[in-house]
Amino acid sequence: MRTAASEPTGSEPEARISAGTVRGTREEGLAVFRGIPFAEPPVGPLRFAAPQPVSGWDGVRMAVSYGPPPPQAGHFGMDALARDSAGDDWLTINVWSPEPHPGAGLPVMVWIPGGAYCIGMSRLPEYDGARLAREGGVVVVTLNYRVGIEGFAHIDGVPANRGLLDQVAALEWVRDNIRDFGGDPDRVTVFGQSAGAGSVAALLAMPRAAGLFRRAIAQSVPGTFFSPALARDIAAACAAELGLRPTLADLSTVAPDQLPTAGDAITAKSTSFAERWGPVALRSIPFSPVVDGDVLPVTPWQALTDGAGRNVDILVGHTRDEQRLLTALDGLLGQVTEEQAAAALQAFAPGPDGAQRYRDGYPAAGPDELYELVNSDWLFRMPSLRLAEAQISGGGRAHVYELTWPAPGMGGFLGACHGLDVPLVFGNLSSGQPAALIGEAPSPAAEELSSRMRTAWTAFAGHGDPGWAAYEAEKRLTQIFDTRSAVTAYPEETSRLIWRDHFFPALPLIGGR
């Protein structure tokens, strides 16, 4: 009888998993499997339902192509890419393994793509796990999960946070099957960036995810978690774009590939809802995890403070200039007026005196810098730092980093911007959209920095030590990733003090109907 991940005729690797046998490919010394379903397609009677176990199959199923992505919003051409990959088998997983046999016992790294909870797919070239797996000696897993209305809209009569439930189902698949690909199910690290990092934070707080991973890496955690009232109001606005109600009966009449247009329409005019939705309307963020009291009982910050992550090692951090790329995409880079800066401080700085504290803390900052600082802090930098602090206060361990290396690509004016860490962590410095931040020809400095970050990430996945001391409330030691890296006290001290009493509660609905 053939063992799991054995080498059949033609040397293509095979793995015998719970649903059947899959056959992948051999690529530069790795066994690679793409498009393995971990749940049934969430369409038809399963539309808007929690993920259901995948049906088994007879014979050998080819696992050589990425599965079709779930419906996508229109950002960065993701909607067109999704339409070009027709099919409803959205919930699939991909595996890269340097030692594809059950006894290898390698650390496992499970990547959750980001994309503002409205785009995201594992097939993007920046998420190719080959280099990380080959050079790091780890099994890399990437996955798809439902995004946008399908995954996160708060719809009457269906489970909340379906995208997060998809991630749990994928992690259950890893637990049950990864040994057959050379992985150790007791050494699973879940990692993600942006909305992927927010998902990692949510998983830390979810009872359904308890025990499914030993370590977690959260890169640029967004602080947006919605109250049910806010999420329900946003869902109603999305449904109204289609002349419908936010119910299963109404929304299931809309073809999945047509549904994101409603979310895109709300995103385009979200600022008109600012009096109801508050800061998320100003940042055009219509989808985020919902603190519904069931799937997600409390926010990640509260959960970790209460000790939910005590048995999980955490690596968390952010880039220095999180907001700059986003400002450039809005056409405001170098163009922020004093009025726009004042409005941003009023909207995003914490507490009634937050705006003044920014002006006092950064007395030399002009409108552009103040705008960038408060936006970076509100959305990514301070939620990331506060996650580490919550973990420590709850009796757990956390390592903190900041990426300060300025991106040389695209004119070199974006600094250490949001998303720069993705190509560096995966080592994909010349493929995928984020590679534009690195430049046309990756420099030796970029290669060396990428090597250091990959070494830290895989070492953490392997034994919980990325190469620098854990963060403590007093010393606040932080790894700075730059041309010359160093470990120092957390460098964004002024912002830390401004935000030290803010705990990122679930965002409320400001005004009722």
Side-chain angles (χ1 to χ4, degrees):
M1 187 176 81
R2 184 181 295 131
T3 60
S6 63
E7 301 289 340
T9 303
S11 77
E12 297 110 339
E14 287 188 358
R16 194 182 302 276
I17 59 176
S18 55
T21 300
V22 291
R23 179 179 299 163
T25 61
R26 174 71 58 180
E27 301 175 12
E28 299 182 14
L30 295 173
V32 183
F33 300 80
R34 296 183 175 91
I36 304 173
F38 64 84
E40 283 293 286
V43 296
L46 299 181
R47 185 92 180 272
F48 301 112
Q52 298 300 306
V54 65
S55 301
W57 55 83
D58 297 324
V60 177
R61 179 180 179 126
M62 299 304 294
V64 298
S65 301
Y66 291 108
Q72 305 278 305
H75 310 306
F76 305 106
M78 294 298 110
D79 54 344
L81 186 57
R83 286 194 297 269
D84 291 342
S85 308
D88 54 22
D89 217 350
W90 305 334
L91 303 182
T92 59
I93 215 162
N94 319 293
V95 182
W96 289 260
S97 177
E99 296 184 45
H101 55 85
L106 298 177
V108 182
M109 300 185 69
V110 181
W111 174 256
I112 301 178
Y117 305 104
C118 64
I119 60 173
M121 60 183 78
S122 62
R123 69 183 303 126
L124 298 178
E126 54 263 38
Y127 302 147
D128 185 287
R131 191 173 186 185
L132 193 61
R134 184 184 303 110
E135 298 182 13
V138 297
V139 177
V140 175
V141 176
T142 64
L143 58 98
N144 286 340
Y145 61 96
R146 283 171 285 180
V147 294
I149 293 174
E150 295 282 351
F152 289 95
H154 205 52
I155 300 168
D156 292 341
V158 302
N161 298 305
R162 297 169 299 283
L164 298 179
L165 292 175
D166 293 344
Q167 296 164 16
V168 171
L171 288 167
E172 291 173 337
W173 184 97
V174 169
R175 177 197 61 198
D176 297 340
N177 296 289
I178 205 63
R179 193 182 303 277
D180 296 331
F181 297 85
D184 182 351
D186 294 323
R187 284 200 295 168
V188 173
T189 297
V190 62
F191 70 131
Q193 182 265 348
S194 196
S199 296
V200 169
L203 290 167
L204 287 164
M206 291 171 60
R208 288 171 174 83
L212 294 177
F213 53 93
R214 177 66 184 82
R215 299 184 177 97
I217 303 175
Q219 305 167 209
S220 302
V221 181
T224 53
F225 282 71
F226 291 173
S227 66
L230 174 61
R232 190 173 291 111
D233 204 66
I234 294 175
C238 291
E241 287 293 317
L242 302 167
L244 302 172
R245 298 167 300 164
T247 64
L248 172 63
D250 277 20
L251 292 176
S252 61
T253 65
V254 182
D257 64 347
Q258 297 301 310
L259 201 54
T261 59
D264 288 348
I266 291 300
T267 299
K269 61 181 182 181
S270 69
T271 55
S272 65
F273 293 94
E275 291 187 1
R276 297 178 60 78
W277 302 346
V280 296
L282 300 176
R283 293 301 305 262
S284 301
I285 302 173
F287 304 110
S288 284
V290 183
V291 182
D292 66 311
D294 177 22
V295 175
L296 186 59
V298 296
T299 67
W301 298 272
Q302 184 63 58
L304 293 189
T305 298
D306 293 342
R310 191 174 294 128
N311 296 320
V312 179
D313 299 327
I314 295 178
L315 172 60
V316 60
H318 55 76
T319 70
R320 181 186 57 202
D321 309 307
E322 291 279 5
Q323 174 63 25
R324 197 166 302 173
L325 173 64
L326 308 178
T327 301
L329 292 172
D330 288 338
L332 288 176
L333 197 62
Q335 306 296 319
V336 177
T337 66
E338 176 58 44
E339 291 74 19
Q340 288 170 320
L345 289 170
Q346 184 64 35
F348 302 116
D353 62 343
Q356 189 58 50
R357 294 178 70 189
Y358 266 94
R359 294 190 183 278
D360 293 342
Y362 298 97
D368 286 288
E369 185 177 356
L370 288 169
Y371 182 89
E372 178 175 305
L373 283 166
V374 73
N375 274 285
S376 293
D377 286 343
W378 176 79
L379 188 52
F380 295 119
R381 298 201 314 179
M382 293 305 107
S384 300
L385 179 66
R386 297 292 287 142
L387 195 74
E389 293 175 340
Q391 168 74 344
I392 295 162
S393 67
R397 188 168 66 121
H399 295 264
V400 174
Y401 75 90
E402 182 178 38
L403 175 61
T404 62
W405 182 67
M410 302 178 69
F413 52 79
L414 293 178
C417 64
H418 188 66
L420 178 61
D421 49 327
V422 172
L424 294 171
V425 165
F426 276 89
N428 298 325
L429 304 182
S430 57
S431 59
Q433 291 184 359
L437 300 171
I438 306 295
E440 292 185 8
S443 66
E447 289 284 3
E448 198 275 334
L449 177 58
S450 174
S451 177
R452 272 187 278 133
M453 293 187 75
R454 282 183 281 118
T455 296
W457 265 233
T458 54
F460 180 76
H463 49 76
D465 183 1
W468 68 92
Y471 191 90
E472 298 175 353
E474 296 301 322
K475 295 181 179 179
R476 298 188 292 279
L477 293 181
T478 303
Q479 173 70 59
I480 308 301
F481 284 109
D482 208 322
T483 304
R484 293 185 177 181
S485 297
V487 177
T488 184
Y490 181 70
E492 313 304 339
E493 180 67 2
T494 299
S495 289
R496 185 189 74 84
L497 292 174
I498 292 172
W499 288 84
R500 64 181 173 182
D501 296 324
H502 187 80
F503 293 95
F504 292 95
L507 295 168
L509 178 67
I510 295 174
R513 292 192 182 281

